[in-house]
Structures are given as C-alpha cells and as structure tokens.
Amino acid sequence: MTVASLKGSQPYGEIGQDMHRLMADLYPLCRSITGDGLRETLRIVSNHIPLKAYEVPTGTPVFDWTVPREWNIVAAYIKNSKGEKILDFGHSNLHVVNYSVPVRKKLFLKELKEHLFTLPEHPDWIPYRTSYYQENWGFCMAHNQYQRLEEDEYEVVIDSSLSDGDLTYGEYYLKGQSADEVLISCHICHPSLCNDNLSGLSLSVFLAKYVGSLERRYSYRFLFIPATIGSITWLARNEAQVGKIKHGLVITCVGDPGKSTYKKSRQGDAEIDRAMMHVLKHSGADYEIAEFIPYGYDERQYASPGFNLPVGCLMRTPNGRFPEYHTSADNLDFVRPDYLEDSFAKAVSALSILETNKTYLNQNPKCEPQLGKRGLYRATGGENERSREMTLLWVLNLSDGQHSLLDIAERSGLRFDSVGMAASELLAHGLLAEIHSS
Ligand code: ZN
C-alpha cells in the first residue's frame, strides 16, 4: 500500500457513486438480526467480494447470550372496515416493528393504537422500531396519518414467522504478509435505513475491494454482522484467534453531510486511534474526536474487558445525533456519494498509515549526514524544497529506533505521507535501516 496513492482530490474515480449504487440495491430488503433479508444482503455483497456466509443455529450459547429464533416476514397490513389497506408493509419495511410476532385479528382503534408508533416531532416520517428480545407486535406510521385514523374496526395482519433457524453473518479474509490482522466491522441488521447501516456496509465492501487490490503488510478481516448479537456470536466462535487483531475499525454512519467523527478505542492511544486522528487533523476539514464510551455500535463488544481489542469507530454524525436517525428519512437522498467518498478516503488514509508505520534506525547517527553529496540537498529549492529537507532532518533525527514514522509525524507536526516519502528517500540512500520487531 503506497502513501502516495492517496493524493489528489478525486483519487478513486466514481467510488462514491458505486457505494451509493450498492446501497440502492440493498435498500429495499427487510433485514433484521436474523432471517432471509440478511442472507439476500450477503448474496448481493458476494457479487462484489467473495465473502463467506456463516449460519449459527438458534439456541447456540454465545457468552451470556443465546442465538435467538430466526425472524422472517412475508407481508403485513392494516385494513379498515371497508377492506381498504391503510398501511402496507410492501410500501416500507419500516411499517412493521422488526421481530413482530405473527398476528391476524380484528380490533378497534383504541386497542390498535397500543400497537402503533409514530414520531410527532417529524409527522411525515416513519419511525424504525424493534422488539428483538421481547415478544410483541406493532406498526410504525407517519404521525400525520395516525392523527387521521377514524373510529373503526380494523383488521391487522402480520404474516411473519419466529422459529428455530439460524443467525447469519458474513466474513471476508484477506491474507497479508503478516498474520497480524486489521479488523473492519459493520452491522447489517437494519431494514431500509441508509446512513445507520447501509453506508458502513457499502464502505466496508469497497474498502475490502480496494485493500484486496494492494500488496498488504497486514491481513484483513471484514465482518458483516447483525449488531450486538452478531459481534457477540463472532467473538464467542473466534475467541482463540482474536489475539491476532492488532487494529480495528467499526464503520457506520459515513454518508451524511456532517463532519467526520472518530470515536477512540477503549485504550484511547492505540495505533488506530493515532492514525485516524492524524488523518482527520490533516484533512483540512472540520472533525470531531470522541472518547470511548461503552455504548454505540459493536466496538463496545470488541472493547469488553475480556477482549479489550483496539477498535475505534469511524462515523460522520454519530448515532442519535441526526434527526433522520432510525426513521424513514434516513434514506438514499440523505446519504450522498461525495460524503461516502470522503469517508472512504479517510479510512484508506488511516489504513495506509498502519501499513507503512514502521520504525527505522539512522545509519549515520553521529551528527547529520552530508545530504548534498548524496543529492538529497538541493541548493536551488524553494519553499517545497525547504520543507522536504526539514522532513528529512526530522526523520533522521528521530530514527533512533524508538520512534515510528507516526511518532515522527506527530512530534514534528508534519503530514504522515511526507514523513513516509522522506523515509523512502533516506532508505534508498542507505541512511536508514528498518527495525524488524519480532
Ligand atoms: Zn441503528
């Protein structure tokens, strides 16, 4: 992976559009933490990357949890007494509370209202509700429609099933020179929601394609899992090998117009934290760094004390902080190709730092080497040349075996890619030697 390849304003062609197109393909599916929506999602993803789908049977104990029964849904609606469908799952899969048990009954408005969910503050939007671990059923609708409901006898049908089956997740492994791994994890369990769910999924797919096309120092493991129960299940099944994970990122909410946000790992000063913060600091755009809290996405499972994996979370606007969050307004218009591409570029930049962040030893440590006689000092240079020389001097000075290139970038305030290029130049002239850690 070269650092130089990250330069330029549009380095990835139409990748933002490509990510958005994949989201559009996945958007109509009714996903949940189990079920055919997940399988179909992974099938579509497998058109892009050859991931492996796993099925874990209902009832499997996973640490303190149990793999739940599998939920599927065919259709659902509410009809008035004239037989008119006033709400139809076919129009939006958000209309049904996710994991609703099957229902077929007639009831009056008062009783129906106990099973209706709306968002009075955004009366045109349909909320997204789930009831995974408590048997229940319900419908979600626009508050405007709710207010127009008349006294009537309604027929409600939820043609769903909740039965023994499997929990489905996908995994894609890319072998690198080292068995040490970078973990990229995204959740895939939300139905038609874009920023929260599909943006992270799509970015991860294109990141996997991109990383797969490069020579790699690290091995990469991409997880496409239902939130919470998926990461718990994966950790329970892979406990023996999680020690290989040296760096990790949960990717979610990366397509909205907000500024980039990086939530630090539990460790707070892991290499991924420093790499991601360096990228955002030098991005030229506004950004936010959030401290770790044991809430949010799957980073909280990876960061449980029994694992304490160095996994941060890359977002734009965090969950719950944009009004469209968990509503029908988190749709394909809310996430835009430009923002997806910007998030993608930042993720790639951080991975590039991890790939090339090595520690070197100055081979001429007693006083400065004479750069001029090696052609490294160019007397005619202007501002760029002076900053290049300054970078060479920083790298020479701090390459005492104790400072990695990222340490040097941070201490000098220089960009990591400049530091990396200076190191390449010095290596080529025999002035640096790589230190191989074990
Ligand atoms: Zn969510």
Side-chain angles (χ1 to χ4, degrees):
M1 197 178 279
T2 67
V3 185
S5 68
L6 305 170
K7 292 197 146 186
S9 58
Q10 296 286 325
Y12 308 110
E14 299 288 298
I15 203 157
Q17 300 284 357
D18 292 343
M19 280 190 269
H20 199 269
R21 255 190 298 274
L22 173 58
M23 293 174 62
D25 290 343
L26 297 169
Y27 182 72
L29 298 174
C30 183
R31 278 164 291 271
S32 183
I33 54 171
T34 61
D36 290 333
L38 283 187
R39 293 188 185 95
E40 180 61 10
T41 296
L42 295 180
R43 193 194 61 74
I44 291 173
V45 168
S46 72
N47 294 333
H48 294 263
I49 50 170
L51 58 70
K52 205 171 159 194
Y54 291 84
E55 302 276 354
V56 184
T58 299
T60 304
V62 285
F63 298 122
D64 199 41
W65 298 57
T66 305
V67 173
R69 286 181 293 169
E70 181 178 325
W71 184 72
N72 284 292
I73 180 161
V74 179
Y77 57 82
I78 304 174
K79 278 183 182 173
N80 62 21
S81 58
K82 292 182 215 144
E84 298 162 338
K85 271 188 193 172
I86 61 152
L87 182 140
D88 187 351
F89 171 77
H91 294 153
S92 168
N93 55 42
L94 299 181
H95 273 320
V96 172
V97 172
N98 206 281
Y99 253 70
S100 281
V101 295
V103 173
R104 188 176 291 269
K105 69 191 291 191
K106 290 193 171 175
L107 35 67
F108 289 100
L109 184 61
K110 187 168 179 291
E111 191 190 345
L112 175 63
K113 279 187 167 176
E114 289 167 19
H115 294 274
L116 298 181
F117 300 90
T118 70
L119 280 174
E121 62 276 30
H122 295 287
D124 293 327
W125 299 355
I126 308 165
Y128 163 57
R129 292 275 188 281
T130 66
S131 189
Y132 299 140
Y133 300 104
Q134 212 174 8
E135 279 197 19
N136 207 339
W137 63 270
F139 289 92
C140 301
M141 64 167 63
H143 193 67
N144 283 338
Q145 183 185 11
Y146 175 89
Q147 286 184 306
R148 289 195 303 268
L149 289 176
E150 292 167 2
E151 286 302 335
D152 199 356
E153 189 184 35
Y154 292 92
E155 180 193 3
V156 297
V157 170
I158 298 180
D159 184 3
S160 64
S161 61
L162 190 56
S163 48
D164 285 357
D166 294 278
L167 175 144
T168 310
Y169 68 85
E171 190 168 344
Y172 180 51
Y173 178 72
L174 280 168
K175 193 171 170 8
Q177 289 157 5
S178 164
D180 289 347
E181 289 180 14
V182 177
L183 177 77
I184 305 290
S185 178
C186 64
H187 64 288
I188 60 168
C189 51
H190 292 29
S192 296
L193 294 168
C194 283
N195 200 38
D196 177 17
N197 191 103
L198 289 181
S199 70
L201 197 173
S202 191
L203 195 152
S204 299
V205 170
F206 283 88
L207 198 56
K209 272 184 157 176
Y210 184 79
V211 170
S213 70
L214 303 169
E215 263 186 57
R216 293 172 298 278
R217 172 187 184 184
Y218 288 109
S219 298
Y220 286 76
R221 194 175 296 279
F222 292 83
L223 298 184
F224 300 89
I225 51 176
T228 307
I229 188 67
S231 51
I232 292 170
T233 300
W234 187 85
L235 285 164
R237 286 162 58 93
N238 294 276
E239 188 173 0
Q241 39 170 330
V242 294
K244 291 183 195 154
I245 296 169
K246 303 301 178 197
H247 318 283
L249 269 184
V250 166
I251 299 181
T252 179
C253 299
V254 283
D256 68 274
K259 62 189 171 191
S260 290
T261 301
Y262 176 70
K263 177 183 166 185
K264 291 194 216 172
S265 74
R266 179 177 186 263
Q267 299 166 15
D269 60 350
E271 201 173 331
I272 184 66
D273 299 325
R274 295 172 56 212
M276 211 60 251
M277 288 192 281
H278 183 86
V279 168
L280 296 185
K281 184 176 158 192
H282 289 273
S283 68
D286 197 10
Y287 66 95
E288 184 176 330
I289 302 296
E291 294 297 326
F292 174 80
I293 54 163
Y295 191 72
Y297 292 98
D298 288 309
E299 66 277 6
R300 64 209 246 205
Q301 310 307 334
Y302 302 126
S304 52
F307 289 107
N308 195 24
L309 297 174
V311 178
C313 181
L314 178 63
M315 299 170 274
R316 297 186 79 88
T317 308
N319 50 303
R321 284 188 19 204
F322 51 99
E324 296 83 356
Y325 174 73
H326 280 190
T327 77
S328 56
D330 183 3
N331 58 25
L332 290 163
D333 293 326
F334 180 57
V335 288
R336 302 306 313 155
D338 288 358
Y339 306 127
L340 291 165
E341 179 176 322
D342 180 69
S343 302
F344 176 85
K346 285 165 178 167
V348 169
S349 297
L351 296 184
S352 295
I353 291 177
L354 300 179
E355 286 282 325
T356 51
N357 184 30
K358 296 183 178 177
T359 303
Y360 296 92
L361 195 59
N362 183 337
Q363 299 299 290
N364 190 98
K366 292 183 177 162
C367 300
E368 290 174 5
Q370 201 183 340
L371 298 178
K373 73 179 182 190
R374 295 176 171 87
L376 288 166
Y377 179 78
R378 293 168 202 152
T380 55
E383 189 57 40
N384 283 349
E385 196 49 39
R386 272 194 295 281
S387 90
R388 189 190 69 92
E389 282 157 21
M390 184 58 90
T391 312
L392 291 172
L393 294 176
W394 269 113
V395 174
L396 282 167
N397 187 282
L398 289 178
S399 287
D400 54 2
Q402 305 299 314
H403 296 86
S404 70
L405 295 185
L406 184 54
D407 293 330
I408 297 171
E410 285 179 345
R411 173 108 176 238
S412 65
L414 295 163
R415 293 177 68 96
F416 182 87
D417 47 4
S418 309
V419 169
M421 279 187 279
S424 303
E425 243 183 309
L426 294 167
L427 264 175
H429 285 85
L431 288 170
L432 289 185
E434 188 183 337
I435 292 181
H436 292 278
S437 51
S438 61

